Amino acid sequence: MQIAICDDHEIIAKEIETLIHKFNKIKGLGGDIVYFSKPSNLYEYMEHNDVDLVFMDLEFMDEKEDGILWCKKIHKK
């Protein structure tokens, strides 16, 4: 399973990653986790790579970035 975390706060992304690892260990699951600080970078990555699950921040410090709009764009893809 390929999981992507997109959050401009690295400490929050690391906490999500830790929780995913704990869950996967309990359930006997595996997979890769990739991290992005900008939705545009995640979108670019997804143009060439399959991602099964995305954890997206809804509000970014950069006012031009909107997690909800990016999720809609990713979903249409």
Side-chain angles (χ1 to χ4, degrees):
M1 179 181 291
Q2 179 83 0
I3 299 172
I5 300 170
C6 188
D7 198 309
D8 54 349
H9 293 94
E10 188 175 356
I11 194 162
I12 293 172
K14 291 291 182 189
E15 183 63 28
I16 293 169
E17 182 177 12
T18 299
L19 292 171
I20 293 168
H21 283 299
K22 286 180 181 178
F23 178 83
N24 284 349
K25 186 175 180 180
I26 291 168
K27 297 294 183 180
L29 302 173
D32 296 317
I33 300 172
V34 290
Y35 166 72
F36 301 91
S37 61
K38 293 182 177 183
S40 55
N41 294 344
L42 167 60
Y43 188 81
E44 201 173 291
Y45 176 84
M46 291 181 70
E47 289 182 335
H48 306 286
N49 299 278
D50 291 329
V51 175
D52 300 302
L53 179 64
V54 175
F55 287 87
M56 175 75 75
D57 188 4
L58 299 181
E59 295 181 3
F60 289 83
M61 288 188 287
D62 181 352
E63 294 177 8
K64 297 175 196 168
E65 302 286 5
D66 181 328
I68 293 173
L69 293 177
W70 277 104
C71 283
K72 289 178 181 179
K73 187 174 183 176
I74 289 168
H75 182 70
K76 287 181 182 178
K77 186 178 172 327

PDB file of all heavy atoms in Angstrom, residues 3-7 9-25 31-36 55:
ATOM      1  N   ILE A   3       1.004   5.172   0.757  1.00  0.00           N
ATOM      2  CA  ILE A   3       0.295   6.199   1.507  1.00  0.00           C
ATOM      3  C   ILE A   3       1.058   7.504   1.375  1.00  0.00           C
ATOM      4  O   ILE A   3       2.285   7.533   1.512  1.00  0.00           O
ATOM      5  CB  ILE A   3       0.167   5.809   2.996  1.00  0.00           C
ATOM      6  CG1 ILE A   3      -0.631   4.511   3.137  1.00  0.00           C
ATOM      7  CG2 ILE A   3      -0.484   6.935   3.795  1.00  0.00           C
ATOM      8  CD1 ILE A   3      -0.636   3.941   4.544  1.00  0.00           C
ATOM      9  N   ALA A   4       0.322   8.589   1.145  1.00  0.00           N
ATOM     10  CA  ALA A   4       0.931   9.913   1.051  1.00  0.00           C
ATOM     11  C   ALA A   4       0.401  10.795   2.173  1.00  0.00           C
ATOM     12  O   ALA A   4      -0.795  10.781   2.484  1.00  0.00           O
ATOM     13  CB  ALA A   4       0.625  10.555  -0.294  1.00  0.00           C
ATOM     14  N   ILE A   5       1.307  11.551   2.774  1.00  0.00           N
ATOM     15  CA  ILE A   5       0.948  12.534   3.783  1.00  0.00           C
ATOM     16  C   ILE A   5       1.331  13.893   3.214  1.00  0.00           C
ATOM     17  O   ILE A   5       2.466  14.099   2.785  1.00  0.00           O
ATOM     18  CB  ILE A   5       1.699  12.295   5.108  1.00  0.00           C
ATOM     19  CG1 ILE A   5       1.384  10.910   5.666  1.00  0.00           C
ATOM     20  CG2 ILE A   5       1.351  13.389   6.119  1.00  0.00           C
ATOM     21  CD1 ILE A   5       2.261  10.503   6.832  1.00  0.00           C
ATOM     22  N   CYS A   6       0.384  14.820   3.229  1.00  0.00           N
ATOM     23  CA  CYS A   6       0.640  16.163   2.716  1.00  0.00           C
ATOM     24  C   CYS A   6       0.262  17.176   3.792  1.00  0.00           C
ATOM     25  O   CYS A   6      -0.917  17.391   4.070  1.00  0.00           O
ATOM     26  CB  CYS A   6      -0.141  16.399   1.430  1.00  0.00           C
ATOM     27  SG  CYS A   6       0.300  17.936   0.618  1.00  0.00           S
ATOM     28  N   ASP A   7       1.272  17.765   4.400  1.00  0.00           N
ATOM     29  CA  ASP A   7       1.067  18.724   5.478  1.00  0.00           C
ATOM     30  C   ASP A   7       2.268  19.652   5.526  1.00  0.00           C
ATOM     31  O   ASP A   7       3.400  19.193   5.425  1.00  0.00           O
ATOM     32  CB  ASP A   7       0.904  17.988   6.812  1.00  0.00           C
ATOM     33  CG  ASP A   7       0.275  18.857   7.886  1.00  0.00           C
ATOM     34  OD1 ASP A   7       0.766  19.983   8.108  1.00  0.00           O
ATOM     35  OD2 ASP A   7      -0.697  18.409   8.502  1.00  0.00           O
ATOM     36  N   HIS A   9       3.229  21.261   8.074  1.00  0.00           N
ATOM     37  CA  HIS A   9       3.844  21.169   9.409  1.00  0.00           C
ATOM     38  C   HIS A   9       4.472  19.778   9.533  1.00  0.00           C
ATOM     39  O   HIS A   9       3.759  18.785   9.731  1.00  0.00           O
ATOM     40  CB  HIS A   9       2.801  21.385  10.503  1.00  0.00           C
ATOM     41  CG  HIS A   9       2.249  22.766  10.521  1.00  0.00           C
ATOM     42  ND1 HIS A   9       1.094  23.100   9.870  1.00  0.00           N
ATOM     43  CD2 HIS A   9       2.719  23.911  11.092  1.00  0.00           C
ATOM     44  CE1 HIS A   9       0.859  24.383  10.049  1.00  0.00           C
ATOM     45  NE2 HIS A   9       1.827  24.895  10.783  1.00  0.00           N
ATOM     46  N   GLU A  10       5.771  19.724   9.441  1.00  0.00           N
ATOM     47  CA  GLU A  10       6.472  18.439   9.424  1.00  0.00           C
ATOM     48  C   GLU A  10       6.227  17.634  10.697  1.00  0.00           C
ATOM     49  O   GLU A  10       6.107  16.408  10.642  1.00  0.00           O
ATOM     50  CB  GLU A  10       7.969  18.657   9.220  1.00  0.00           C
ATOM     51  CG  GLU A  10       8.722  17.371   9.010  1.00  0.00           C
ATOM     52  CD  GLU A  10      10.192  17.582   8.690  1.00  0.00           C
ATOM     53  OE1 GLU A  10      10.628  18.724   8.558  1.00  0.00           O
ATOM     54  OE2 GLU A  10      10.888  16.562   8.583  1.00  0.00           O
ATOM     55  N   ILE A  11       6.134  18.297  11.832  1.00  0.00           N
ATOM     56  CA  ILE A  11       5.931  17.582  13.099  1.00  0.00           C
ATOM     57  C   ILE A  11       4.587  16.836  13.101  1.00  0.00           C
ATOM     58  O   ILE A  11       4.476  15.723  13.613  1.00  0.00           O
ATOM     59  CB  ILE A  11       6.060  18.531  14.309  1.00  0.00           C
ATOM     60  CG1 ILE A  11       6.187  17.712  15.590  1.00  0.00           C
ATOM     61  CG2 ILE A  11       4.921  19.507  14.394  1.00  0.00           C
ATOM     62  CD1 ILE A  11       6.739  18.493  16.756  1.00  0.00           C
ATOM     63  N   ILE A  12       3.571  17.438  12.503  1.00  0.00           N
ATOM     64  CA  ILE A  12       2.263  16.782  12.407  1.00  0.00           C
ATOM     65  C   ILE A  12       2.344  15.600  11.452  1.00  0.00           C
ATOM     66  O   ILE A  12       1.815  14.518  11.731  1.00  0.00           O
ATOM     67  CB  ILE A  12       1.174  17.784  11.974  1.00  0.00           C
ATOM     68  CG1 ILE A  12       0.967  18.807  13.091  1.00  0.00           C
ATOM     69  CG2 ILE A  12      -0.131  17.074  11.626  1.00  0.00           C
ATOM     70  CD1 ILE A  12       0.068  19.961  12.728  1.00  0.00           C
ATOM     71  N   ALA A  13       3.026  15.800  10.336  1.00  0.00           N
ATOM     72  CA  ALA A  13       3.190  14.710   9.363  1.00  0.00           C
ATOM     73  C   ALA A  13       3.925  13.532   9.993  1.00  0.00           C
ATOM     74  O   ALA A  13       3.569  12.371   9.766  1.00  0.00           O
ATOM     75  CB  ALA A  13       3.939  15.212   8.136  1.00  0.00           C
ATOM     76  N   LYS A  14       4.945  13.811  10.792  1.00  0.00           N
ATOM     77  CA  LYS A  14       5.696  12.742  11.462  1.00  0.00           C
ATOM     78  C   LYS A  14       4.810  11.992  12.455  1.00  0.00           C
ATOM     79  O   LYS A  14       4.915  10.776  12.601  1.00  0.00           O
ATOM     80  CB  LYS A  14       6.933  13.304  12.176  1.00  0.00           C
ATOM     81  CG  LYS A  14       7.989  13.809  11.241  1.00  0.00           C
ATOM     82  CD  LYS A  14       8.632  12.667  10.502  1.00  0.00           C
ATOM     83  CE  LYS A  14       9.732  13.165   9.596  1.00  0.00           C
ATOM     84  NZ  LYS A  14      10.238  12.127   8.719  1.00  0.00           N
ATOM     85  N   GLU A  15       3.922  12.704  13.147  1.00  0.00           N
ATOM     86  CA  GLU A  15       3.003  12.055  14.090  1.00  0.00           C
ATOM     87  C   GLU A  15       2.026  11.144  13.341  1.00  0.00           C
ATOM     88  O   GLU A  15       1.762  10.021  13.774  1.00  0.00           O
ATOM     89  CB  GLU A  15       2.238  13.103  14.899  1.00  0.00           C
ATOM     90  CG  GLU A  15       1.322  12.517  15.949  1.00  0.00           C
ATOM     91  CD  GLU A  15       2.033  11.732  17.036  1.00  0.00           C
ATOM     92  OE1 GLU A  15       3.207  12.012  17.337  1.00  0.00           O
ATOM     93  OE2 GLU A  15       1.404  10.803  17.592  1.00  0.00           O
ATOM     94  N   ILE A  16       1.517  11.618  12.215  1.00  0.00           N
ATOM     95  CA  ILE A  16       0.624  10.787  11.398  1.00  0.00           C
ATOM     96  C   ILE A  16       1.376   9.547  10.915  1.00  0.00           C
ATOM     97  O   ILE A  16       0.851   8.434  10.963  1.00  0.00           O
ATOM     98  CB  ILE A  16       0.061  11.598  10.208  1.00  0.00           C
ATOM     99  CG1 ILE A  16      -0.873  12.689  10.714  1.00  0.00           C
ATOM    100  CG2 ILE A  16      -0.669  10.675   9.220  1.00  0.00           C
ATOM    101  CD1 ILE A  16      -1.267  13.702   9.653  1.00  0.00           C
ATOM    102  N   GLU A  17       2.605   9.746  10.467  1.00  0.00           N
ATOM    103  CA  GLU A  17       3.415   8.618   9.999  1.00  0.00           C
ATOM    104  C   GLU A  17       3.625   7.591  11.108  1.00  0.00           C
ATOM    105  O   GLU A  17       3.507   6.379  10.887  1.00  0.00           O
ATOM    106  CB  GLU A  17       4.763   9.124   9.488  1.00  0.00           C
ATOM    107  CG  GLU A  17       5.639   8.027   8.938  1.00  0.00           C
ATOM    108  CD  GLU A  17       6.946   8.541   8.368  1.00  0.00           C
ATOM    109  OE1 GLU A  17       7.297   9.715   8.582  1.00  0.00           O
ATOM    110  OE2 GLU A  17       7.627   7.747   7.712  1.00  0.00           O
ATOM    111  N   THR A  18       3.901   8.057  12.325  1.00  0.00           N
ATOM    112  CA  THR A  18       4.084   7.159  13.468  1.00  0.00           C
ATOM    113  C   THR A  18       2.814   6.353  13.732  1.00  0.00           C
ATOM    114  O   THR A  18       2.874   5.142  13.963  1.00  0.00           O
ATOM    115  CB  THR A  18       4.470   7.965  14.727  1.00  0.00           C
ATOM    116  OG1 THR A  18       5.706   8.638  14.481  1.00  0.00           O
ATOM    117  CG2 THR A  18       4.612   7.076  15.948  1.00  0.00           C
ATOM    118  N   LEU A  19       1.665   7.015  13.682  1.00  0.00           N
ATOM    119  CA  LEU A  19       0.393   6.317  13.909  1.00  0.00           C
ATOM    120  C   LEU A  19       0.121   5.281  12.816  1.00  0.00           C
ATOM    121  O   LEU A  19      -0.366   4.185  13.103  1.00  0.00           O
ATOM    122  CB  LEU A  19      -0.756   7.327  13.981  1.00  0.00           C
ATOM    123  CG  LEU A  19      -0.740   8.247  15.202  1.00  0.00           C
ATOM    124  CD1 LEU A  19      -1.791   9.352  15.044  1.00  0.00           C
ATOM    125  CD2 LEU A  19      -0.963   7.471  16.475  1.00  0.00           C
ATOM    126  N   ILE A  20       0.459   5.616  11.583  1.00  0.00           N
ATOM    127  CA  ILE A  20       0.271   4.662  10.484  1.00  0.00           C
ATOM    128  C   ILE A  20       1.152   3.433  10.696  1.00  0.00           C
ATOM    129  O   ILE A  20       0.707   2.295  10.521  1.00  0.00           O
ATOM    130  CB  ILE A  20       0.574   5.326   9.122  1.00  0.00           C
ATOM    131  CG1 ILE A  20      -0.473   6.393   8.811  1.00  0.00           C
ATOM    132  CG2 ILE A  20       0.631   4.281   8.012  1.00  0.00           C
ATOM    133  CD1 ILE A  20      -0.108   7.289   7.645  1.00  0.00           C
ATOM    134  N   HIS A  21       2.407   3.662  11.083  1.00  0.00           N
ATOM    135  CA  HIS A  21       3.317   2.535  11.335  1.00  0.00           C
ATOM    136  C   HIS A  21       2.789   1.644  12.463  1.00  0.00           C
ATOM    137  O   HIS A  21       2.830   0.414  12.354  1.00  0.00           O
ATOM    138  CB  HIS A  21       4.723   3.026  11.672  1.00  0.00           C
ATOM    139  CG  HIS A  21       5.508   3.474  10.481  1.00  0.00           C
ATOM    140  ND1 HIS A  21       5.819   2.640   9.426  1.00  0.00           N
ATOM    141  CD2 HIS A  21       6.048   4.678  10.170  1.00  0.00           C
ATOM    142  CE1 HIS A  21       6.517   3.300   8.530  1.00  0.00           C
ATOM    143  NE2 HIS A  21       6.664   4.547   8.945  1.00  0.00           N
ATOM    144  N   LYS A  22       2.279   2.254  13.525  1.00  0.00           N
ATOM    145  CA  LYS A  22       1.722   1.476  14.636  1.00  0.00           C
ATOM    146  C   LYS A  22       0.522   0.660  14.179  1.00  0.00           C
ATOM    147  O   LYS A  22       0.394  -0.512  14.513  1.00  0.00           O
ATOM    148  CB  LYS A  22       1.311   2.404  15.782  1.00  0.00           C
ATOM    149  CG  LYS A  22       2.471   2.958  16.564  1.00  0.00           C
ATOM    150  CD  LYS A  22       1.981   3.869  17.684  1.00  0.00           C
ATOM    151  CE  LYS A  22       3.136   4.459  18.453  1.00  0.00           C
ATOM    152  NZ  LYS A  22       2.689   5.379  19.517  1.00  0.00           N
ATOM    153  N   PHE A  23      -0.373   1.283  13.423  1.00  0.00           N
ATOM    154  CA  PHE A  23      -1.552   0.591  12.918  1.00  0.00           C
ATOM    155  C   PHE A  23      -1.142  -0.571  12.016  1.00  0.00           C
ATOM    156  O   PHE A  23      -1.662  -1.687  12.143  1.00  0.00           O
ATOM    157  CB  PHE A  23      -2.449   1.570  12.149  1.00  0.00           C
ATOM    158  CG  PHE A  23      -3.665   0.922  11.556  1.00  0.00           C
ATOM    159  CD1 PHE A  23      -4.800   0.716  12.326  1.00  0.00           C
ATOM    160  CD2 PHE A  23      -3.686   0.518  10.230  1.00  0.00           C
ATOM    161  CE1 PHE A  23      -5.918   0.111  11.787  1.00  0.00           C
ATOM    162  CE2 PHE A  23      -4.796  -0.089   9.679  1.00  0.00           C
ATOM    163  CZ  PHE A  23      -5.922  -0.297  10.466  1.00  0.00           C
ATOM    164  N   ASN A  24      -0.222  -0.309  11.091  1.00  0.00           N
ATOM    165  CA  ASN A  24       0.225  -1.359  10.175  1.00  0.00           C
ATOM    166  C   ASN A  24       0.864  -2.528  10.924  1.00  0.00           C
ATOM    167  O   ASN A  24       0.674  -3.687  10.552  1.00  0.00           O
ATOM    168  CB  ASN A  24       1.205  -0.798   9.144  1.00  0.00           C
ATOM    169  CG  ASN A  24       0.514  -0.004   8.062  1.00  0.00           C
ATOM    170  OD1 ASN A  24      -0.705  -0.023   7.951  1.00  0.00           O
ATOM    171  ND2 ASN A  24       1.280   0.715   7.267  1.00  0.00           N
ATOM    172  N   LYS A  25       1.602  -2.231  11.980  1.00  0.00           N
ATOM    173  CA  LYS A  25       2.236  -3.287  12.761  1.00  0.00           C
ATOM    174  C   LYS A  25       1.177  -4.150  13.456  1.00  0.00           C
ATOM    175  O   LYS A  25       1.259  -5.384  13.431  1.00  0.00           O
ATOM    176  CB  LYS A  25       3.187  -2.684  13.793  1.00  0.00           C
ATOM    177  CG  LYS A  25       3.984  -3.705  14.548  1.00  0.00           C
ATOM    178  CD  LYS A  25       4.987  -3.065  15.475  1.00  0.00           C
ATOM    179  CE  LYS A  25       5.775  -4.128  16.209  1.00  0.00           C
ATOM    180  NZ  LYS A  25       6.758  -3.540  17.122  1.00  0.00           N
ATOM    181  N   GLY A  31       3.774  -1.424   3.516  1.00  0.00           N
ATOM    182  CA  GLY A  31       3.589  -0.369   2.533  1.00  0.00           C
ATOM    183  C   GLY A  31       4.578   0.755   2.734  1.00  0.00           C
ATOM    184  O   GLY A  31       5.336   0.782   3.702  1.00  0.00           O
ATOM    185  N   ASP A  32       4.526   1.670   1.796  1.00  0.00           N
ATOM    186  CA  ASP A  32       5.427   2.816   1.824  1.00  0.00           C
ATOM    187  C   ASP A  32       4.646   4.076   2.165  1.00  0.00           C
ATOM    188  O   ASP A  32       3.472   4.219   1.802  1.00  0.00           O
ATOM    189  CB  ASP A  32       6.083   3.007   0.453  1.00  0.00           C
ATOM    190  CG  ASP A  32       6.962   1.828   0.070  1.00  0.00           C
ATOM    191  OD1 ASP A  32       7.699   1.341   0.948  1.00  0.00           O
ATOM    192  OD2 ASP A  32       6.903   1.405  -1.089  1.00  0.00           O
ATOM    193  N   ILE A  33       5.328   4.998   2.829  1.00  0.00           N
ATOM    194  CA  ILE A  33       4.744   6.286   3.168  1.00  0.00           C
ATOM    195  C   ILE A  33       5.629   7.361   2.558  1.00  0.00           C
ATOM    196  O   ILE A  33       6.846   7.352   2.756  1.00  0.00           O
ATOM    197  CB  ILE A  33       4.637   6.479   4.695  1.00  0.00           C
ATOM    198  CG1 ILE A  33       3.765   5.382   5.306  1.00  0.00           C
ATOM    199  CG2 ILE A  33       4.083   7.859   5.021  1.00  0.00           C
ATOM    200  CD1 ILE A  33       3.757   5.368   6.822  1.00  0.00           C
ATOM    201  N   VAL A  34       5.007   8.269   1.819  1.00  0.00           N
ATOM    202  CA  VAL A  34       5.734   9.389   1.242  1.00  0.00           C
ATOM    203  C   VAL A  34       5.166  10.682   1.824  1.00  0.00           C
ATOM    204  O   VAL A  34       3.981  10.772   2.135  1.00  0.00           O
ATOM    205  CB  VAL A  34       5.661   9.393  -0.301  1.00  0.00           C
ATOM    206  CG1 VAL A  34       6.474   8.251  -0.881  1.00  0.00           C
ATOM    207  CG2 VAL A  34       4.238   9.319  -0.798  1.00  0.00           C
ATOM    208  N   TYR A  35       6.035  11.681   1.975  1.00  0.00           N
ATOM    209  CA  TYR A  35       5.653  12.950   2.606  1.00  0.00           C
ATOM    210  C   TYR A  35       5.842  14.106   1.642  1.00  0.00           C
ATOM    211  O   TYR A  35       6.855  14.172   0.932  1.00  0.00           O
ATOM    212  CB  TYR A  35       6.491  13.176   3.876  1.00  0.00           C
ATOM    213  CG  TYR A  35       6.410  14.586   4.395  1.00  0.00           C
ATOM    214  CD1 TYR A  35       5.253  15.057   5.005  1.00  0.00           C
ATOM    215  CD2 TYR A  35       7.485  15.459   4.266  1.00  0.00           C
ATOM    216  CE1 TYR A  35       5.163  16.356   5.472  1.00  0.00           C
ATOM    217  CE2 TYR A  35       7.406  16.762   4.740  1.00  0.00           C
ATOM    218  CZ  TYR A  35       6.248  17.205   5.331  1.00  0.00           C
ATOM    219  OH  TYR A  35       6.157  18.486   5.782  1.00  0.00           O
ATOM    220  N   PHE A  36       4.870  15.026   1.657  1.00  0.00           N
ATOM    221  CA  PHE A  36       4.942  16.240   0.854  1.00  0.00           C
ATOM    222  C   PHE A  36       4.502  17.422   1.702  1.00  0.00           C
ATOM    223  O   PHE A  36       3.553  17.311   2.472  1.00  0.00           O
ATOM    224  CB  PHE A  36       4.023  16.145  -0.377  1.00  0.00           C
ATOM    225  CG  PHE A  36       4.371  14.998  -1.271  1.00  0.00           C
ATOM    226  CD1 PHE A  36       3.774  13.757  -1.087  1.00  0.00           C
ATOM    227  CD2 PHE A  36       5.315  15.132  -2.267  1.00  0.00           C
ATOM    228  CE1 PHE A  36       4.096  12.680  -1.889  1.00  0.00           C
ATOM    229  CE2 PHE A  36       5.658  14.060  -3.077  1.00  0.00           C
ATOM    230  CZ  PHE A  36       5.048  12.830  -2.886  1.00  0.00           C
ATOM    231  N   PHE A  55      -3.408  11.443   3.248  1.00  0.00           N
ATOM    232  CA  PHE A  55      -3.736  12.247   4.419  1.00  0.00           C
ATOM    233  C   PHE A  55      -3.379  13.683   4.049  1.00  0.00           C
ATOM    234  O   PHE A  55      -2.205  14.020   3.915  1.00  0.00           O
ATOM    235  CB  PHE A  55      -2.941  11.807   5.651  1.00  0.00           C
ATOM    236  CG  PHE A  55      -3.398  10.497   6.225  1.00  0.00           C
ATOM    237  CD1 PHE A  55      -2.888   9.303   5.758  1.00  0.00           C
ATOM    238  CD2 PHE A  55      -4.344  10.473   7.235  1.00  0.00           C
ATOM    239  CE1 PHE A  55      -3.306   8.089   6.287  1.00  0.00           C
ATOM    240  CE2 PHE A  55      -4.777   9.263   7.768  1.00  0.00           C
ATOM    241  CZ  PHE A  55      -4.250   8.074   7.289  1.00  0.00           C
TER     242      PHE A  55
END
